[in-house]
Amino acid sequence: MTETLQPDLGLRSGNLRVCLADGADDIEAAQRLRYHVFYEERHAQPSPEMAAVKRDLDGFDAICDHLLVIDEAHSSGAPTVVGTYRLLRRSVALAHGRFYTADEFNISPLMTVEGELLELGRSCVAAEYRNRSTMQLLWRGIAIYLEHYDIQLMFGCASLDGTDIDALKTQLAYLYHYHLAPEALRPVAVPERYVSMDLVAKGDLHATRALAELPPLVKGYLRLGGFVGDGAVVDKQFNTTDVCMIVKSDLITGRYRDRYEGGSGRGRGKAGDEGA
């Protein structure tokens, strides 16, 4: 059995430190950041419980690992969580029932992959920290996690802003025509929520323009050789349209091993919100 990864990942850059949440206080700090970004900034619809405590929360938080970026010299005067990612391994999900992504996509093709899988979710960074260096720290932390637990494949819901499918048709069609996952690994949106992504013929797409319209996080996954599943899902609570992203882990650990350690030693990361 793999030894549990310790919270201190040994990753620092200036005032910023990357670690795993170490107890309830750290998780609540991540939930407060998520609430601010998702509900106050991006106008998602909180439940009465969430609105009362100003935290984004659900039943998965208790079983997931939470990767954090902490500013040790925040203007508030106290160390503050300024970035987070929620991580759920297959071995943990199976012990507790299911993956979050399964609410929107049939992920059974991914379950045929041997070895450990990782679901990524609830990614957010405070507005003033949305830059390349912060995201590289997050992805270096993810790479340590991937290598420690020998994770073969990552997946999760990635969001396009808004729920107007007509306004998003170019982005969805670009993903469908240029980045559809191989059939053997292709999740499909659940039938009752399935929205076709094949909304513009490939010959009618301006691929460069469509790529530029995609959210930075999705573009980061694609730069790593990521794929998308078939079908999108409208999430009215979060005011988003979701696609299922899949990325092979060796593309990430190798990228950061080469960049930060000269091609040897432990790998450290992946691409993200502002690129890598």
Side-chain angles (χ1 to χ4, degrees), residues 26-28 31 47 68 107 113 156 168 175 197 205 207 225 231 249 276:
D26 281 351
I27 294 174
E28 289 180 8
Q31 291 170 336
S47 68
L68 310 176
I107 57 174
V113 175
L168 297 171
L175 291 171
M197 300 169 68
L205 279 174
S249 300

Side-chain angles (χ1 to χ4, degrees), residues 27-223:
I27 294 174
E28 289 180 8
Q31 291 170 336
R32 285 193 292 272
L33 173 64
R34 285 162 25 190
Y35 187 91
H36 174 72
V37 172
F38 298 149
Y39 298 94
E40 295 178 339
E41 181 180 331
R42 298 180 181 170
H43 308 298
Q45 299 299 313
S47 68
E49 177 190 9
M50 288 190 285
V53 296
K54 302 293 184 184
R55 287 159 43 206
D56 170 55
L57 42 86
D58 65 21
F60 287 91
D61 281 328
I63 66 171
C64 290
D65 285 325
H66 301 261
L67 188 67
L68 310 176
V69 177
I70 296 175
D71 185 349
E72 302 280 12
H74 193 264
S75 58
S76 65
T80 301
V81 173
V82 298
T84 186
Y85 241 117
R86 192 165 75 176
L87 313 176
L88 180 59
R89 303 191 309 278
R90 169 158 58 183
S91 55
V92 177
L94 293 180
H96 292 85
R98 63 190 176 92
F99 282 109
Y100 176 88
T101 304
D103 289 346
E104 298 188 359
F105 295 90
N106 176 359
I107 57 174
S108 57
L110 301 180
M111 298 301 103
T112 66
V113 175
E114 294 184 1
E116 187 67 280
L117 305 180
L118 180 67
E119 179 185 65
L120 298 174
R122 289 300 201 271
S123 169
C124 67
V125 175
E128 61 269 34
Y129 295 85
R130 287 175 199 154
N131 54 56
R132 183 178 295 269
S133 60
T134 303
M135 290 309 306
Q136 285 182 340
L137 277 173
L138 266 175
W139 290 114
R140 288 172 67 192
I142 288 174
I144 290 176
Y145 194 94
L146 295 176
E147 194 154 26
H148 181 85
Y149 288 109
D150 194 22
I151 290 163
Q152 306 303 306
L153 194 73
M154 300 188 317
F155 68 95
C157 296
S159 299
L160 310 182
D161 291 334
T163 59
D164 182 346
I165 297 301
D166 188 62
L168 297 171
K169 64 183 180 182
T170 300
Q171 296 177 52
L172 293 171
Y174 170 81
L175 291 171
Y176 179 84
H177 290 302
Y178 288 94
H179 298 283
L180 191 63
E183 188 171 0
L185 286 178
R186 190 182 303 163
V188 179
V190 295
E192 64 273 19
R193 305 183 71 179
Y194 181 97
V195 174
S196 175
M197 300 169 68
D198 187 10
L199 301 171
V200 180
K202 186 174 183 179
D204 293 334
L205 279 174
H206 189 298
T208 302
R209 187 179 304 157
L211 174 61
E213 292 174 353
L214 289 169
L217 181 61
V218 175
K219 287 188 285 191
Y221 288 136
L222 297 180
R223 280 193 291 271

